Amino acid sequence: DSGVTQTPKHLITATGQRVTLRCSPRSGDLSVYWYQQSLDQGLQFLIQYYNGEERAKGNILERFSAQQFPDLHSELNLSSLELGDSALYFCASSVGYRTSGSETQYFGPGTRLLVL
Amino acid sequence: SQELEQSPQSLIVQEGKNLTINCTSSKTLYGLYWYKQKYGEGLIFLMMLQKGGEEKSHEKITAKLDEKKQQSSLHITASQPSHAGIYLCGADRNDYKLSFGAGTTVTVRA
């Protein structure tokens, strides 16, 4: 158990709908990262938040958005869903200071999204 | 990521045999991570390497980072069924995110 929690574990929805994925980081971690894993694209970085502020952005579609709340949990909002959005969505967290070099990211169990 | 190549794509090993997975970057790495994933599940952190020439071991798994910090290998000694899964290397290029290889699927046959 990494200490990172994600809900829900599974989500089935229809095209055009909107869903929200939730992530709680490990205790003490200020950084939250979102990744998407699909068969054709592999594991791709979407976005990072540090202490409530957006820090880095990857291949995140405009239909997707995220935020990190004062209690440090984060939500990933996916709207106008398409069939191709079906994937595993992972949240990861790290301390976020990078004072001693590279930081380990600990991953949650993921949310499996199926768009029908 | 095409900047991070993993080989082989998959391998089958007899229980008790050794195996090696390679991860090659086209650019110098700030940090190199190894994770293991059971199909459809979360990533389990194995090891992180940051210094050129660094080598780390945990139980029967050893990871090395070359001097130029562009290539890493993961070696499993005397493989067991519990070693089966997908091994992913992740590159930290000091831009906060991790860029992952396509993964190596390991099957351990009894």
Side-chain angles (χ1 to χ4, degrees):
Chain A
D1 185 358
S2 67
V4 179
T5 60
Q6 288 188 248
T7 57
K9 191 169 185 178
H10 301 279
L11 202 48
I12 301 174
T13 188
T15 54
Q17 295 299 305
R18 172 189 171 95
V19 297
T20 297
L21 312 183
R22 182 187 169 103
C23 166
S24 291
R26 294 187 321 154
S27 177
D29 285 358
L30 299 180
S31 273
V32 169
Y33 311 77
W34 286 97
Y35 291 85
Q36 178 194 59
Q37 187 177 41
S38 60
L39 284 174
D40 55 344
Q41 295 291 323
L43 192 55
Q44 299 283 326
F45 169 75
L46 295 178
I47 197 165
Q48 180 207 3
Y49 278 81
Y50 171 74
N51 205 19
E53 300 290 327
E54 181 185 305
R55 170 172 273 185
K57 222 169 186 177
N59 302 321
I60 187 167
L61 300 172
E62 286 190 9
R63 300 183 286 109
F64 296 0
S65 64
Q67 53 185 328
Q68 186 179 26
F69 295 87
D71 67 352
L72 301 177
H73 91 271
S74 178
E75 292 181 356
L76 179 67
N77 300 295
L78 315 176
S79 62
S80 303
L81 285 167
E82 302 174 359
L83 296 177
D85 297 328
S86 296
L88 261 173
Y89 291 84
F90 288 108
C91 165
S93 75
S94 72
V95 173
Y97 298 130
R98 293 180 83 87
T99 54
S100 58
S102 193
E103 284 188 354
T104 299
Q105 293 181 24
Y106 294 91
F107 282 73
T111 292
R112 181 175 292 279
L113 174 67
L114 180 59
V115 182
L116 300 174
Chain B
S1 165
Q2 291 183 343
E3 296 180 347
L4 204 62
E5 297 287 340
Q6 269 188 255
S7 64
Q9 187 176 359
S10 64
L11 66 90
I12 300 172
V13 63
Q14 196 70 28
E15 184 177 354
K17 298 296 185 182
N18 303 336
L19 66 98
T20 299
I21 301 168
N22 294 302
C23 178
T24 302
S25 171
S26 57
K27 301 178 183 178
T28 299
L29 302 167
Y30 188 67
L32 189 285
Y33 292 79
W34 285 101
Y35 289 88
K36 179 185 172 185
Q37 183 181 25
K38 292 284 189 182
Y39 182 75
E41 297 181 7
L43 278 69
I44 300 168
F45 169 69
L46 296 175
M47 272 173 276
M48 186 271 277
L49 304 164
Q50 193 170 0
K51 299 175 183 176
E54 188 173 12
E55 178 176 323
K56 287 185 178 179
S57 294
H58 177 67
E59 297 180 342
K60 294 186 177 181
I61 301 177
T62 300
K64 302 178 185 179
L65 183 62
D66 75 338
E67 290 290 342
K68 292 184 179 179
K69 297 172 62 175
Q70 286 188 258
Q71 186 167 28
S72 178
S73 61
L74 185 83
H75 184 77
I76 298 177
T77 304
S79 59
Q80 300 169 354
S82 61
H83 290 128
I86 303 168
Y87 289 81
L88 292 152
C89 63
D92 178 357
R93 296 194 174 89
N94 201 20
D95 56 0
Y96 300 105
K97 69 178 187 291
L98 290 180
S99 301
F100 286 90
T104 296
T105 301
V106 172
T107 303
V108 180
R109 289 227 171 119

